[in-house]
C-alpha cells in the first residue's frame, strides 16, 4: 500500500532553460508518494520536469531528489532502474513483436532473458493484450500501442511509474480499464504513480494528489480531496418528490440553494451545515431523500482557478 | 481475461548490476535482422568462397606432400601453387637475381672452357625458364645461386639492379610490341629495398635445403613460403568476394538500425532504461559486427583450421601462429570503419532508404572517382612523356604505373581497405602510400564516431 507521508520527489530551486526559454522556473516543491496527477496547460513544463527527473534532460540550476536518489548523472542508472516511464509520444521498436518489446524492456533493466519473457507475458495479460502480442508492433492500433507502452513501463515492477497521457487514444471502455489498472497499482502495491494528463476526470478518478504546474512553477501540491472541497461548505441532494417546500425550509434556515437542470439541489452555508438538519427538513417537507453528499468542485474548476490565479498574479 | 492472468504481481527478482545491456540490444537486433529471407540467402551465398579457398589450401598442401606425383590433384595443385609462388614479389625478385648468378657462373665457365680448350663453348650459358615451364614443374633454386646472391655486396646488388631494370624494360617493350595480351604491369621494376629483401630471402632459403640436394626444391620452397601463401589465400578471400558480400550485407542491415529508432522515437524507450548512449551504440555496432564476423572472421579462421588439418605436421602451427591474429585484425579493419560509416549515415536520416542509398552511392562514387582520376593521371603521364622515346611505347604502361602509384586509391573505399588488409597480411599488394590509407580510415572513423555521438545523444542532450 502506498505511504503518503513520505516525500517521493523533492525539488529545490529547480530551474531548466532551453537557451533563452525558461521551462522550469525555480521550482521548490515536495511531492508525496501515492498516485499523483501532474496537471498543467500545454507548455507548462510537465514533460520537461519528467525528463529532468529521469535524467533525460540536465538541470540548469537547483537540486532534485527522487526515490531518495539525488538527480545527478551518477545516479541516473539507479533512478531509471526504479522508474517505469510511459512516454506520451507514439514510440515503439520496429520489427519486433509486442511481447518481445516488453521482454526487451525488462532485459534492458538488467533481468535475464527467460525471466523477462515470462514477466512480459504476465504484464501483457494484466494489460489485456491477447494473441496480438505476437504481432509486430508497427501493425498495432493506437490503443494497443498505449497498452504496450504501459506494459513495458511496469514490466520491472518499478517503485515509481510515470505515465504521460496514459488514456489518450483509448476508447471509453479501454480508458476505464486503463484507469482501473492504474488505480490497482496505486492502491494495492508499493508503486507510486505520476500521471501527466489533460483529462482531469482521470485525475479525479484515480489520483490521491494533484500537482499543478503553471508557467514553469508548481503553485499547488494538494490532495485531490482537499482541492475539490468547496470554499463554502455545501451539500448536494437529490430528493424523491416535490422539492419546493424543502428549498423554502432550507432558505428560511439561512442556506443558499441552487437547483441544477437535472434536479440536484446544492445547499451552501458559510456557517457550515449539519447533515442531520437536512434529514429533518426533508421529513418536515415530506419528501424522501435519494442521496445526500458533500458537494465537490470539479477538477476542471479547480484547475482553471489555479491557472488563472497564477497567471493573473504574474501579470 | 486470459486463463493465465494473475492480475498484477510484484516482481521481486533483483536486476543484475552489470553493463551488459548492449548485448541485449545486439541480440534483439540480430534476431530481427536474421528474419529477412534475403539476408539469409546472401549470408549463405557469401560462404561459397570459403569452399573455393579451402580447396586452394588443399591443393597447396597436396602439391608439396606428393611432389613426384603426376596424378590429380597433386599435378594440378602444383600447377596452381606454382602460379601463386611465381607471383610472390620476393620470389620474382629472387629469380631475377638468380639470373645474374647464372650469368656470372656461365661467363665464368665460358672463360674456363676457353682457357682450357681454346674453344668458345656456349653450352653452359644459362637460359631462364619460362613461366609455363615453372608452372609445370614447380620452381626451384640452386643452392650455389642462393649462396652467390647471399654473398653479393651492396655495390654488386646496385649494379644488378641497374642491369635488371634495363633488361626488364627491354623485355616489356618487346612484349608490348608483340601485342601481348593484358596490361604491362611494371611489377618487375626493382628497387634497392627489394633487392636487399631478396638477398635476405636467399639467406633464409639456404636453411631450407632439408635433404642436402643442393637444390631448394619446390616443396621446400612452398614450405618456406607457407605463411605468405596462406596469407595470399586469406587476403584473396577477405579482399574480393567477402568485401563485396560485406558491402551488400551492411547495406541491408545497418541503414535501418538508427534511422528507424529515430523515426519511431524508440530512443525514449531505450534511454528511460538504465543504459548509456555508448551502450546503445555498441549494441548497434555489435549487430553488424556479428554478421560481418560470420562472413569474414569465422570463415577465415575456419580456412586456417582447414589449412592446419591438411598440413603434413604440427610444426606448421609454429610458422603460421600469427595468421589468426592477422585474420582478426584484417576483419576489424574491414568491419569497424564500414560499420561506423554505415551507422553514421543511418543516424543522419529518419528514412532508412536514404541511408542505404547513401551507403551504396559512396562505394560506387568512390570507385568511379578513383578510376576517373587514375585515367586522368595516365593521360597526364602520356602527355608528359610524349617526346621521350624511351617511355612512349605504350599507354598501358603508364596506366599500370598510375595504378601502381595509387595516388587516388584513398578515394576508393574498396582500394583503401584492401591496402590496409594487404599491409596486415604483409603480402606486398598495396598501391599508393599505405600511411595515407591508414590516415583516411582513421579520420573517417573519428568523424563517424563524432557524428554518431552527437546524433544518438540528441534526444537527451537538452
Amino acid at each position: 500500500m502506498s505511504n503518503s507521508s513520505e516525500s517521493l520527489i523533492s525539488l529545490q530551486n529547480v530551474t531548466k532553460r532551453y537557451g533563452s526559454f525558461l521551462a522550469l522556473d525555480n521550482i521548490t516543491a515536495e511531492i508525496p508518494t501515492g498516485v499523483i496527477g501532474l496537471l498543467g496547460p500545454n507548455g507548462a513544463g510537465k514533460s520537461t520536469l519528467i525528463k529532468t527527473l529521469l535524467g533525460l534532460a540536465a538541470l540548469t540550476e537547483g537540486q532534485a531528489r527522487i526515490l531518495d536518489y539525488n538527480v545527478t548523472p551518477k545516479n541516473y542508472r539507479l533512478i531509471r532502474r526504479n522508474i517505469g516511464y510511459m512516454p506520451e509520444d507514439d514510440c515503439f521498436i520496429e520489427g519486433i513483436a509486442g511481447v518481445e518489446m516488453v521482454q526487451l524492456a525488462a532485459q534492458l533493466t538488467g533481468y535475464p532473458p527467460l525471466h523477462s519473457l515470462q514477466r512480459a507475458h504476465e504484464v501483457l495479460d494484466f494489460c489485456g493484450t491477447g494473441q496480438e502480442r505476437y504481432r509486430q508492433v508497427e501493425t498495432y492500433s493506437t490503443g494497443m500501442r498505449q497498452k504496450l507502452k504501459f506494459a513495458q513501463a511496469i514490466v520491472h515492477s518499478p517503485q515509481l511509474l510515470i505515465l504521460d497521457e496514459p488514456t489518450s487514444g483509448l476508447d471509453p471502455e479501454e480508458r476505464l480499464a486503463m484507469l482501473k489498472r492504474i488505480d490497482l497499482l496505486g492502491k494495492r502495491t508499493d508503486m507510486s504513480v505520476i500521471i501527466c494528463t489533460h483529462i482531469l476526470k482521470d485525475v479525479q478518478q484515480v489520483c490521491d494528489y494533484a500537482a499543478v504546474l503553471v508557467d514553469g512553477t508548481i503553485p499547488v501540491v494538494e490532495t485531490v480531496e482537499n482541492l475539490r472541497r468547496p470554499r463554502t461548505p455545501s451539500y448536494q441532494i437529490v430528493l424523491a418528490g416535490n422539492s419546493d417546500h424543502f428549498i423554502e425550509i432550507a432558505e428560511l434556515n439561512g442556506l443558499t440553494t441552487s437547483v441544477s437542470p437535472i434536479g440536484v439541489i446544492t445547499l451552501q452555508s458559510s456557517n457550515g451545515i449539519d447533515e442531520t438538519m437536512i434529514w429533518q427538513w426533508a421529513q418536515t417537507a415530506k419528501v424522501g431523500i435519494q442521496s445526500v453528499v458533500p458537494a465537490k468542485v470539479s477538477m476542471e474548476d479547480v484547475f482553471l482557478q489555479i491557472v488563472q490565479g497564477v497567471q493573473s498574479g504574474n501579470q | 481475461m486470459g486463463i493465465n492472468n494473475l492480475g498484477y504481481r510484484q516482481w521481486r527478482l533483483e536486476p543484475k548490476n552489470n553493463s551488459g545491456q548492449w548485448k541485449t540490444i545486439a541480440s534483439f537486433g540480430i534476431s530481427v535482422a536474421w528474419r529477412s529471407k534475403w539476408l539469409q540467402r546472401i549470408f549463405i551465398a557469401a560462404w561459397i568462397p570459403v569452399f573455393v579457398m579451402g580447396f586452394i589450401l588443399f591443393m597447396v598442401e597436396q602439391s608439396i606432400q606428393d611432389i613426384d606425383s603426376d596424378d590429380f590433384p597433386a599435378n594440378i595443385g602444383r600447377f596452381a601453387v606454382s602460379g601463386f609462388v611465381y607471383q610472390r614479389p620476393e620470389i620474382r625478385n629472387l629469380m631475377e637475381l638468380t639470373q645474374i648468378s647464372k650469368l656470372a657462373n656461365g661467363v665464368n665457365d665460358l672463360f674456363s672452357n676457353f682457357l682450357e680448350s681454346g674453344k668458345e663453348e656456349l653450352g653452359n650459358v644459362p637460359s631462364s625458364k619460362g613461366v609455363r615451364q615453372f608452372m609445370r614443374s614447380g620452381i626451384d633454386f640452386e643452392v650455389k645461386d642462393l649462396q652467390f646472391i647471399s654473398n653479393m655486396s651492396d655495390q654488386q646488388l646496385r649494379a644488378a639492379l641497374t642491369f635488371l631494370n634495363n633488361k626488364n624494360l627491354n623485355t616489356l617493350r618487346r612484349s608490348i610490341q608483340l601485342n601481348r595480351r593484358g596490361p604491362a604491369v611494371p611489377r618487375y621494376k626493382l628497387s634497392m629495398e627489394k633487392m636487399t629483401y631478396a638477398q635476405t630471402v636467399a639467406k633464409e632459403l639456404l636453411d631450407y635445403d632439408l635433404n642436402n640436394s643442393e637444390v631448394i626444391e619446390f616443396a621446400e620452397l612452398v614450405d618456406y613460403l607457407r605463411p605468405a601463401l596462406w596469407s595470399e589465400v586469406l587476403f584473396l578471400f577477405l579482399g574480393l568476394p567477402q568485401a563485396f558480400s560485406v558491402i551488400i550485407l551492411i547495406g541491408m542491415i545497418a541503414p535501418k538500425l538508427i534511422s528507424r529508432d529515430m523515426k519511431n522515437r524508440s530512443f525514449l524507450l531505450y534511454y528511460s532504461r538504465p543504459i548509456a548512449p555508448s551502450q546503445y551504440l555498441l549494441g548497434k555496432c555489435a549487430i553488424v559486427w556479428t554478421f560481418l564476423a560470420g562472413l569474414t572472421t569465422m570463415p577465415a579462421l575456419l580456412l586456417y583450421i582447414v589449412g592446419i588439418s591438411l598440413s603434413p605436421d604440427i610444426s606448421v602451427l609454429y610458422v603460421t601462429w600469427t595468421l589468426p591474429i592477422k585474420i582478426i585484425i584484417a576483419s576489424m579493419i574491414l568491419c569497424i570503419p564500414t560499420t561506423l560509416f554505415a551507422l553514421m549515415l543511418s543516424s543522419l536520416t529518419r528514412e532508412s532508404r536514404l541511408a542505404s542509398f547513401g551507403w551504396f552511392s559512396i562505394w560506387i562514387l568512390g570507385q568511379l572517382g578513383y578510376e576517373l582520376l587514375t585515367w586522368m593521371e595516365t593521360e597526364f603521364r602520356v602527355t608528359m612523356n610524349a617526346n621521350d622515346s624511351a617511355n612512349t611505347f605504350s599507354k598501358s604502361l603508364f596506366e599500370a604505373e598510375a595504378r601502381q602509384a595509387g595516388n587516388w586509391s584513398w578515394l576508393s573505399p574498396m582500394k583503401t581497405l584492401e591496402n590496409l588488409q594487404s599491409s596486415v597480411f604483409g603480402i606486398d599488394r598495396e598501391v599508393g602510400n599505405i600511411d595515407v590509407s591508414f590516415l583516411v580510415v582513421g579520420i573517417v572513423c573519428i568523424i563517424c564516431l563524432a557524428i554518431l555521438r552527437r546524433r544518438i545523444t540528441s534526444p537527451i542532450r537538452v
Side-chain angles (χ1 to χ4, degrees):
Chain A
M1 300 293 268
S2 59
N3 182 355
S4 58
S5 63
E6 294 167 11
S7 177
L8 178 73
I9 298 168
S10 173
L11 306 171
Q12 296 290 325
N13 307 111
V14 167
T15 302
K16 173 67 190 172
R17 286 177 195 280
Y18 294 110
S20 59
F21 176 71
L22 187 64
L24 300 177
D25 184 11
N26 200 27
I27 298 177
T28 298
E30 296 286 329
I31 297 175
T33 54
V35 183
I36 301 110
L38 185 60
L39 314 176
N42 289 331
K46 300 187 296 291
S47 297
T48 304
L49 181 63
I50 288 172
K51 284 184 176 176
T52 306
L53 295 173
L54 279 168
L56 299 177
L59 286 173
T60 310
E61 285 169 35
Q63 285 185 326
R65 195 170 167 79
I66 184 167
L67 296 172
D68 287 335
Y69 299 110
N70 286 323
V71 181
T72 55
K74 196 181 77 176
N75 289 331
Y76 284 166
R77 288 175 69 88
L78 283 168
I79 291 171
R80 290 177 196 164
R81 180 164 286 168
N82 291 296
I83 292 180
Y85 175 50
M86 175 185 175
E88 179 190 5
D89 299 308
D90 183 23
C91 52
F92 57 91
I93 297 166
E94 199 173 324
I96 59 178
V99 66
E100 288 175 316
M101 191 173 123
V102 181
Q103 184 194 4
L104 174 64
Q107 281 187 238
L108 287 177
T109 314
Y111 293 100
L114 202 60
H115 287 88
S116 300
L117 181 61
Q118 183 194 353
R119 176 67 179 172
H121 281 292
E122 227 176 271
V123 294
L124 284 170
D125 282 337
F126 173 66
C127 293
T129 305
Q131 293 302 303
E132 62 267 29
R133 72 184 64 178
Y134 299 108
R135 271 169 43 195
Q136 293 210 331
V137 181
E138 54 268 30
T139 65
Y140 278 24
S141 66
T142 310
M144 284 155 71
R145 282 184 195 167
Q146 283 293 93
K147 286 197 279 185
L148 193 66
K149 284 193 291 179
F150 183 76
Q152 65 81 33
I154 62 170
V155 69
H156 56 298
S157 283
Q159 289 179 48
L160 171 61
L161 180 63
I162 299 178
L163 307 171
D164 206 348
E165 300 290 355
T167 54
S168 80
L170 296 179
D171 60 41
E173 194 183 345
E174 281 297 339
R175 179 178 155 267
L176 280 176
M178 177 67 86
L179 291 175
K180 259 186 184 175
R181 284 179 208 118
I182 296 168
D183 196 42
L184 185 147
L185 292 174
K187 301 286 189 301
R188 298 193 189 169
T189 70
D190 294 332
M191 200 182 291
S192 289
V193 185
I194 294 180
I195 305 170
C196 286
T197 182
H198 287 104
I199 306 170
L200 298 170
K201 275 188 181 169
D202 291 353
V203 176
Q204 200 170 298
Q205 196 166 334
V206 296
C207 291
D208 303 323
Y209 292 87
V212 184
L213 195 60
V214 189
D215 292 343
T217 61
I218 300 182
V220 172
V221 180
E222 188 54 86
T223 60
V224 172
E225 184 74 26
N226 285 345
L227 283 172
R228 294 189 64 203
R229 188 172 292 148
R231 286 179 189 167
T232 317
S234 314
Y235 272 89
Q236 286 182 326
I237 298 158
V238 180
L239 298 175
N242 191 338
S243 60
D244 293 348
H245 189 40
F246 176 86
I247 291 170
E248 270 175 35
I249 295 169
E251 285 176 350
L252 282 171
N253 283 281
L255 272 69
T256 311
T257 61
S258 62
V259 184
S260 75
I262 56 168
V264 178
I265 304 162
T266 305
L267 303 178
Q268 285 184 318
S269 169
S270 53
N271 299 324
I273 302 171
D274 184 358
E275 196 180 323
T276 53
M277 295 303 293
I278 295 172
W279 290 95
Q280 274 188 16
W281 297 335
Q283 200 174 19
T284 311
K286 294 183 179 164
V287 287
I289 292 181
Q290 284 185 340
S291 78
V292 51
V293 289
K296 286 182 180 175
V297 184
S298 73
M299 279 307 291
E300 279 86 352
D301 291 338
V302 172
F303 178 71
L304 285 173
Q305 276 175 20
I306 294 168
V307 171
Q308 283 163 3
V310 170
Q311 287 174 344
S312 62
N314 288 346
Q315 286 164 5
Chain B
M1 186 179 283
I3 56 169
N4 296 318
N5 195 343
L6 304 170
Y8 182 80
R9 185 173 67 98
Q10 282 279 89
W11 205 16
R12 302 292 179 194
L13 191 69
E14 277 298 308
K16 281 187 281 180
N17 189 18
N18 61 20
S19 306
Q21 279 89 341
W22 66 270
K23 284 184 267 182
T24 303
I25 295 176
S27 63
F28 270 83
I30 291 163
S31 92
V32 169
W34 189 245
R35 288 171 196 168
S36 160
K37 293 282 178 208
W38 275 107
L39 188 80
Q40 290 174 13
R41 286 171 193 149
I42 287 173
F43 199 85
I44 291 164
W47 267 77
I48 292 171
V50 180
F51 301 107
V52 176
M53 299 298 161
F55 184 68
I56 293 175
L57 276 184
F58 171 72
M59 287 198 302
V60 170
E61 294 307 326
Q62 192 68 29
S63 67
I64 58 171
Q65 283 185 33
D66 194 4
I67 193 73
D68 297 323
S69 170
D70 283 333
D71 297 334
F72 180 84
N75 57 348
I76 296 292
R78 196 160 56 249
F79 181 81
V81 176
S82 298
F84 259 105
V85 171
Y86 185 72
Q87 53 83 53
R88 284 295 311 160
E90 65 266 41
I91 297 304
R92 295 293 303 259
N93 298 340
L94 194 60
M95 283 164 62
E96 298 278 7
L97 273 176
T98 310
Q99 287 178 33
I100 300 275
S101 165
K102 287 189 184 304
L103 199 62
N105 287 332
V107 171
N108 195 26
D109 291 346
L110 185 72
F111 277 112
S112 301
N113 291 339
F114 182 74
L115 290 172
E116 282 170 17
S117 63
K119 291 178 185 174
E120 190 177 311
E121 288 181 19
L122 298 174
N124 286 333
V125 175
S127 60
S128 60
K129 284 182 179 177
V131 175
R132 286 190 177 82
Q133 196 182 347
F134 278 126
M135 288 191 172
R136 272 197 298 274
S137 60
I139 301 164
D140 51 35
F141 292 100
E142 288 183 39
V143 168
K144 65 176 182 181
D145 290 333
L146 296 177
Q147 277 169 342
F148 176 85
I149 295 163
S150 302
N151 295 330
M152 282 173 87
S153 66
D154 280 358
Q155 215 169 5
Q156 286 171 319
L157 279 178
R158 211 174 293 281
L161 172 68
T162 312
F163 172 80
L164 288 172
N165 272 341
N166 287 336
K167 177 176 164 288
N168 287 333
L169 193 63
N170 286 326
T171 310
L172 196 62
R173 271 188 200 161
R174 215 168 31 247
S175 65
I176 288 165
Q177 280 164 358
L178 291 172
N179 293 325
R180 193 178 163 182
R181 282 176 295 174
V185 179
R187 62 169 60 158
Y188 318 111
K189 197 172 178 183
L190 292 167
S191 66
M192 195 55 200
E193 287 77 25
K194 288 178 179 174
M195 299 294 272
T196 315
Y197 181 57
Q199 191 180 38
T200 311
V201 171
K203 286 175 186 169
E204 287 175 358
L205 269 176
L206 284 173
D207 296 333
Y208 273 78
D209 185 18
L210 303 174
N211 55 7
N212 294 317
S213 60
E214 294 297 311
V215 175
I216 305 297
E217 290 160 359
F218 183 62
E220 291 162 341
L221 189 61
V222 172
D223 204 27
Y224 169 75
L225 284 173
R226 183 179 276 112
L229 292 178
W230 285 21
S231 295
E232 286 268 8
V233 172
L234 291 168
F235 174 72
L236 197 66
F237 171 71
L238 285 172
L240 287 169
Q242 293 320 94
F244 193 64
S245 310
V246 161
I247 294 168
I248 295 175
L249 193 92
I250 294 181
M252 284 184 75
I253 301 170
K256 297 171 186 170
L257 290 178
I258 297 180
S259 59
R260 277 189 176 177
D261 283 352
M262 289 168 67
K263 185 179 172 185
N264 302 322
R265 299 180 192 88
S266 315
F267 282 120
L268 282 171
L269 298 175
Y270 284 115
Y271 290 153
S272 61
R273 303 281 155 187
I275 66 166
S278 56
Q279 281 187 314
Y280 171 82
L281 180 59
L282 187 60
K284 294 290 177 182
C285 287
I287 296 169
V288 186
W289 288 337
T290 305
F291 283 104
L292 295 187
L295 280 188
T296 57
T297 321
M298 290 300 161
L301 287 173
L302 186 70
L303 274 178
Y304 175 74
I305 293 166
V306 167
I308 293 285
S309 56
L310 291 172
S311 301
D313 59 77
I314 202 73
S315 66
V316 172
L317 265 177
Y318 179 72
V319 290
T320 59
W321 68 271
T322 54
L323 276 179
I325 299 167
K326 287 178 179 176
I327 288 169
I328 291 168
I329 296 172
S331 304
M332 284 166 69
I333 283 175
L334 187 66
C335 299
I336 293 174
T338 46
T339 303
L340 288 178
F341 188 76
L343 287 180
M344 183 273 289
L345 289 176
S346 176
S347 74
L348 291 177
T349 173
R350 286 162 188 258
E351 283 296 328
S352 57
R353 279 173 299 179
L354 287 179
S356 294
F357 178 75
W359 169 253
F360 290 113
S361 301
I362 288 289
W363 286 88
I364 294 166
L365 290 177
Q367 192 64 30
L368 285 179
Y370 163 70
E371 296 290 347
L372 181 70
L373 287 167
T374 304
W375 173 78
M376 286 170 72
E377 188 183 325
T378 305
E379 293 298 315
F380 178 73
R381 282 172 186 248
V382 170
T383 312
M384 289 294 285
N385 292 284
N387 298 323
D388 186 348
S389 59
N391 291 318
T392 53
F393 55 86
S394 172
K395 188 178 172 183
S396 61
L397 172 65
F398 293 113
E399 187 186 344
E401 277 180 354
R403 286 193 184 280
Q404 193 67 27
N407 291 327
W408 310 106
S409 61
W410 58 273
L411 271 175
S412 159
M414 184 80 92
K415 283 275 168 211
T416 306
L417 293 173
E418 260 182 32
N419 271 354
L420 295 182
Q421 288 185 324
S422 163
S423 166
V424 168
F425 281 116
I427 52 171
D428 203 19
R429 287 277 182 277
E430 301 93 279
V431 291
N433 190 339
I434 190 71
D435 294 336
V436 174
S437 300
F438 269 110
L439 192 69
V440 167
V441 169
I443 290 172
V444 166
C445 284
I446 290 167
I447 291 173
C448 289
L449 270 176
I451 294 173
L452 273 169
R453 185 182 149 75
R454 187 167 176 78
R455 297 291 297 171
I456 65 170
T457 56
S458 61
I460 55 171
R461 203 185 57 251
V462 284

